[in-house]
Amino acid sequence: MSRVAPLAASLVALALGACVEPHTPGDETDAPESTSGPSTAGESTVNTVTSAAPSTTEGVDPTETEGGCLEGSLGCQCTPSGTCDDGLSCIEAVCIPASCGNGEIEPEFGEECDPGVADDPMCELDCTLKPTCGNGQLEVGEPCDDGNDNNNDACLNTCEPNTCGDGYLWAETEECDDGNDNDDEGACLSTCESARCGDAYLWQGVEGCDDGDQDNTDACLNNCTPATCGDGYVWQGAEECDDGNAIDDDGCGNDCTLAPTEFDDCGFPSDDGVWVEFSWTTQDQQPGDPEFSFSSTPGWGAPQWSPQAVDLFAGIVAGNDPIGWVLRVDNADTLRLRFKTTGLSFDSATVCVKGRSSSAQFGVNFDLRNSQNGNCGGSGSFSADWIEQHDGIALPDNCVLQDSNLQTLDITVNGGVDQLLGLRSVRLALHNTNF
């Protein structure tokens, strides 16, 4: 029996007592008069009582219980359907006043619960439910309560909002959530986005680099691998070329430096810079009247080179030779070649000389010197063979000055009187030029 049973029993007793008419001594109906005459000996005396007329049911309420208690009214039995008059509740088949704590949950009177029901621990004394996470009602102290057990929506089962870093994947909002393991070096970023190439965060163990751009010419490619020679992308400032193959003689070396594909007769590259050639191959050409030819480099030709040839001592003789027309230079002569490098920068300078020794018996040694830079230069030689020969001379670094209005190459024979240089042409090449 619940703790309200005694209360209900008391109320029932009170109600039943109210329905029973009180009995008061002295209020009995007067006894009927005796109709017997004087008794006689041996005769029994019979008292005849006049009975009241029998009662009828006319005018009686059918819901009135025995003793006159109306069903559904205060202190009386509940109706057969278990209802009571307004303001009353049916407790253990008796209608009593509605009240918090009577053991009956009475929603019609605003009760959410009743502490008299099985000692409900979730019921407050005012018949309201204590705040409960998960009941779908937003209550005091709860940021949210969606009433479900899904930790992948906006509200966790703890009635806390789903946030990045809580370890629960918020569907359609977060791509990932590793909880406290979220960082910017793993598979899940601190923003709860999945790590990917191009997000500017280095995914340790997966990416070699990640600079967050779409530039394949810097140190990190768009596939998040470091730039290397041979990847097919020219790393600006680090590589001269990168053709992505292992062919070393196709113009781009395997070390990603530009390799020439054209060479002069002395084996020097002819397509990696600018060059000017002085030649005396046509009949009757004199020392100061050479034929000039130039590299096809746009913007650097005859006006920029301003080439000249001068016979300093006027002793050089031009004439026929078994290899053709030549200038004959002996040990008393100097042929000076003049040129400009104004506005030009370059890495190195080479000279290719064509000719032979015009002596019948001896070879010839010759020098090339820059009179504008301390007579720096180099030397070459030809044999007395009756064929055109080529000799290449790599000038020392900085021997030919950059950005100069006048530079020279003086050609002299450095042997005895028997040596004679038969000169056909001289090509000066400046390599890896910028202008």
Side-chain angles (χ1 to χ4, degrees), residues 227-247:
T228 57
C229 179
D231 57 25
Y233 300 100
V234 178
W235 182 359
Q236 295 295 328
E239 299 174 340
E240 295 178 358
C241 61
D242 195 324
D243 56 10
N245 64 39
I247 302 173

mmCIF file of all heavy atoms in Angstrom, residues 227-247:
data_model
loop_
_atom_site.group_PDB
_atom_site.id
_atom_site.type_symbol
_atom_site.label_atom_id
_atom_site.label_comp_id
_atom_site.label_asym_id
_atom_site.label_seq_id
_atom_site.Cartn_x
_atom_site.Cartn_y
_atom_site.Cartn_z
ATOM 1 N N ALA A 227 60.600 19.321 -54.818
ATOM 2 C CA ALA A 227 61.120 19.455 -56.178
ATOM 3 C C ALA A 227 62.502 18.802 -56.268
ATOM 4 O O ALA A 227 63.340 18.952 -55.376
ATOM 5 C CB ALA A 227 61.209 20.926 -56.556
ATOM 6 N N THR A 228 62.724 18.071 -57.331
ATOM 7 C CA THR A 228 64.015 17.425 -57.570
ATOM 8 C C THR A 228 64.347 17.512 -59.045
ATOM 9 O O THR A 228 63.459 17.655 -59.900
ATOM 10 C CB THR A 228 63.985 15.935 -57.158
ATOM 11 O OG1 THR A 228 62.938 15.268 -57.878
ATOM 12 C CG2 THR A 228 63.742 15.780 -55.662
ATOM 13 N N CYS A 229 65.629 17.432 -59.346
ATOM 14 C CA CYS A 229 66.066 17.411 -60.739
ATOM 15 C C CYS A 229 65.544 16.128 -61.394
ATOM 16 O O CYS A 229 65.748 15.027 -60.885
ATOM 17 C CB CYS A 229 67.585 17.466 -60.805
ATOM 18 S SG CYS A 229 68.246 17.409 -62.486
ATOM 19 N N GLY A 230 64.850 16.303 -62.514
ATOM 20 C CA GLY A 230 64.307 15.156 -63.214
ATOM 21 C C GLY A 230 62.814 14.992 -63.061
ATOM 22 O O GLY A 230 62.229 14.076 -63.642
ATOM 23 N N ASP A 231 62.161 15.888 -62.282
ATOM 24 C CA ASP A 231 60.717 15.757 -62.089
ATOM 25 C C ASP A 231 59.912 16.419 -63.207
ATOM 26 O O ASP A 231 58.692 16.352 -63.236
ATOM 27 C CB ASP A 231 60.281 16.313 -60.735
ATOM 28 C CG ASP A 231 60.675 17.770 -60.520
ATOM 29 O OD1 ASP A 231 60.842 18.500 -61.511
ATOM 30 O OD2 ASP A 231 60.820 18.175 -59.351
ATOM 31 N N GLY A 232 60.616 17.079 -64.118
ATOM 32 C CA GLY A 232 59.943 17.695 -65.254
ATOM 33 C C GLY A 232 59.499 19.118 -65.028
ATOM 34 O O GLY A 232 58.905 19.734 -65.919
ATOM 35 N N TYR A 233 59.771 19.681 -63.843
ATOM 36 C CA TYR A 233 59.421 21.065 -63.541
ATOM 37 C C TYR A 233 60.699 21.844 -63.221
ATOM 38 O O TYR A 233 61.530 21.380 -62.427
ATOM 39 C CB TYR A 233 58.470 21.145 -62.346
ATOM 40 C CG TYR A 233 57.169 20.404 -62.563
ATOM 41 C CD1 TYR A 233 56.976 19.131 -62.020
ATOM 42 C CD2 TYR A 233 56.151 20.974 -63.315
ATOM 43 C CE1 TYR A 233 55.782 18.452 -62.211
ATOM 44 C CE2 TYR A 233 54.952 20.290 -63.511
ATOM 45 C CZ TYR A 233 54.779 19.034 -62.963
ATOM 46 O OH TYR A 233 53.606 18.361 -63.156
ATOM 47 N N VAL A 234 60.837 23.022 -63.831
ATOM 48 C CA VAL A 234 62.028 23.837 -63.593
ATOM 49 C C VAL A 234 61.878 24.558 -62.262
ATOM 50 O O VAL A 234 60.995 25.408 -62.089
ATOM 51 C CB VAL A 234 62.246 24.858 -64.727
ATOM 52 C CG1 VAL A 234 63.471 25.711 -64.424
ATOM 53 C CG2 VAL A 234 62.427 24.137 -66.057
ATOM 54 N N TRP A 235 62.719 24.217 -61.338
ATOM 55 C CA TRP A 235 62.729 24.835 -60.007
ATOM 56 C C TRP A 235 63.439 26.180 -60.133
ATOM 57 O O TRP A 235 64.647 26.250 -60.294
ATOM 58 C CB TRP A 235 63.442 23.897 -59.047
ATOM 59 C CG TRP A 235 63.502 24.345 -57.621
ATOM 60 C CD1 TRP A 235 63.016 25.490 -57.091
ATOM 61 C CD2 TRP A 235 64.104 23.631 -56.542
ATOM 62 N NE1 TRP A 235 63.256 25.553 -55.756
ATOM 63 C CE2 TRP A 235 63.932 24.419 -55.381
ATOM 64 C CE3 TRP A 235 64.766 22.413 -56.446
ATOM 65 C CZ2 TRP A 235 64.421 24.016 -54.150
ATOM 66 C CZ3 TRP A 235 65.250 22.022 -55.216
ATOM 67 C CH2 TRP A 235 65.076 22.810 -54.072
ATOM 68 N N GLN A 236 62.664 27.249 -60.084
ATOM 69 C CA GLN A 236 63.219 28.577 -60.299
ATOM 70 C C GLN A 236 64.277 28.907 -59.260
ATOM 71 O O GLN A 236 64.074 28.724 -58.069
ATOM 72 C CB GLN A 236 62.104 29.633 -60.245
ATOM 73 C CG GLN A 236 61.079 29.513 -61.359
ATOM 74 C CD GLN A 236 61.676 29.765 -62.717
ATOM 75 O OE1 GLN A 236 62.620 30.552 -62.864
ATOM 76 N NE2 GLN A 236 61.149 29.085 -63.732
ATOM 77 N N GLY A 237 65.411 29.392 -59.772
ATOM 78 C CA GLY A 237 66.503 29.760 -58.890
ATOM 79 C C GLY A 237 67.394 28.602 -58.506
ATOM 80 O O GLY A 237 68.451 28.809 -57.900
ATOM 81 N N ALA A 238 66.987 27.373 -58.821
ATOM 82 C CA ALA A 238 67.792 26.209 -58.461
ATOM 83 C C ALA A 238 68.165 25.380 -59.687
ATOM 84 O O ALA A 238 69.235 24.771 -59.719
ATOM 85 C CB ALA A 238 67.047 25.333 -57.451
ATOM 86 N N GLU A 239 67.299 25.349 -60.686
ATOM 87 C CA GLU A 239 67.566 24.577 -61.901
ATOM 88 C C GLU A 239 67.538 25.492 -63.121
ATOM 89 O O GLU A 239 66.750 26.442 -63.174
ATOM 90 C CB GLU A 239 66.511 23.474 -62.086
ATOM 91 C CG GLU A 239 66.464 22.444 -60.971
ATOM 92 C CD GLU A 239 65.305 21.475 -61.140
ATOM 93 O OE1 GLU A 239 64.341 21.810 -61.859
ATOM 94 O OE2 GLU A 239 65.364 20.384 -60.543
ATOM 95 N N GLU A 240 68.397 25.185 -64.084
ATOM 96 C CA GLU A 240 68.362 25.916 -65.348
ATOM 97 C C GLU A 240 67.335 25.312 -66.292
ATOM 98 O O GLU A 240 66.774 25.997 -67.154
ATOM 99 C CB GLU A 240 69.744 25.887 -66.010
ATOM 100 C CG GLU A 240 70.819 26.624 -65.221
ATOM 101 C CD GLU A 240 72.180 26.532 -65.892
ATOM 102 O OE1 GLU A 240 72.281 25.861 -66.938
ATOM 103 O OE2 GLU A 240 73.126 27.146 -65.385
ATOM 104 N N CYS A 241 67.118 24.014 -66.131
ATOM 105 C CA CYS A 241 66.175 23.302 -66.981
ATOM 106 C C CYS A 241 65.774 22.016 -66.260
ATOM 107 O O CYS A 241 66.412 21.622 -65.282
ATOM 108 C CB CYS A 241 66.793 22.981 -68.343
ATOM 109 S SG CYS A 241 68.265 21.924 -68.235
ATOM 110 N N ASP A 242 64.723 21.399 -66.741
ATOM 111 C CA ASP A 242 64.317 20.093 -66.215
ATOM 112 C C ASP A 242 63.360 19.483 -67.230
ATOM 113 O O ASP A 242 62.188 19.867 -67.303
ATOM 114 C CB ASP A 242 63.641 20.229 -64.846
ATOM 115 C CG ASP A 242 63.539 18.887 -64.121
ATOM 116 O OD1 ASP A 242 63.318 17.864 -64.794
ATOM 117 O OD2 ASP A 242 63.679 18.878 -62.878
ATOM 118 N N ASP A 243 63.892 18.556 -68.034
ATOM 119 C CA ASP A 243 63.065 17.950 -69.075
ATOM 120 C C ASP A 243 62.499 16.600 -68.660
ATOM 121 O O ASP A 243 61.818 15.927 -69.446
ATOM 122 C CB ASP A 243 63.827 17.821 -70.383
ATOM 123 C CG ASP A 243 65.129 17.050 -70.239
ATOM 124 O OD1 ASP A 243 65.350 16.454 -69.165
ATOM 125 O OD2 ASP A 243 65.925 17.048 -71.195
ATOM 126 N N GLY A 244 62.789 16.195 -67.421
ATOM 127 C CA GLY A 244 62.176 14.996 -66.889
ATOM 128 C C GLY A 244 62.655 13.699 -67.488
ATOM 129 O O GLY A 244 62.011 12.660 -67.314
ATOM 130 N N ASN A 245 63.794 13.728 -68.184
ATOM 131 C CA ASN A 245 64.317 12.472 -68.729
ATOM 132 C C ASN A 245 65.764 12.269 -68.310
ATOM 133 O O ASN A 245 66.353 13.115 -67.632
ATOM 134 C CB ASN A 245 64.172 12.425 -70.258
ATOM 135 C CG ASN A 245 64.990 13.502 -70.953
ATOM 136 O OD1 ASN A 245 66.108 13.809 -70.558
ATOM 137 N ND2 ASN A 245 64.420 14.072 -72.015
ATOM 138 N N ALA A 246 66.331 11.150 -68.697
ATOM 139 C CA ALA A 246 67.710 10.817 -68.322
ATOM 140 C C ALA A 246 68.652 10.911 -69.513
ATOM 141 O O ALA A 246 69.725 10.295 -69.529
ATOM 142 C CB ALA A 246 67.749 9.403 -67.739
ATOM 143 N N ILE A 247 68.262 11.704 -70.518
ATOM 144 C CA ILE A 247 69.122 11.903 -71.696
ATOM 145 C C ILE A 247 70.001 13.106 -71.440
ATOM 146 O O ILE A 247 69.503 14.214 -71.228
ATOM 147 C CB ILE A 247 68.263 12.098 -72.957
ATOM 148 C CG1 ILE A 247 67.352 10.889 -73.167
ATOM 149 C CG2 ILE A 247 69.148 12.320 -74.174
ATOM 150 C CD1 ILE A 247 66.348 11.067 -74.286
#
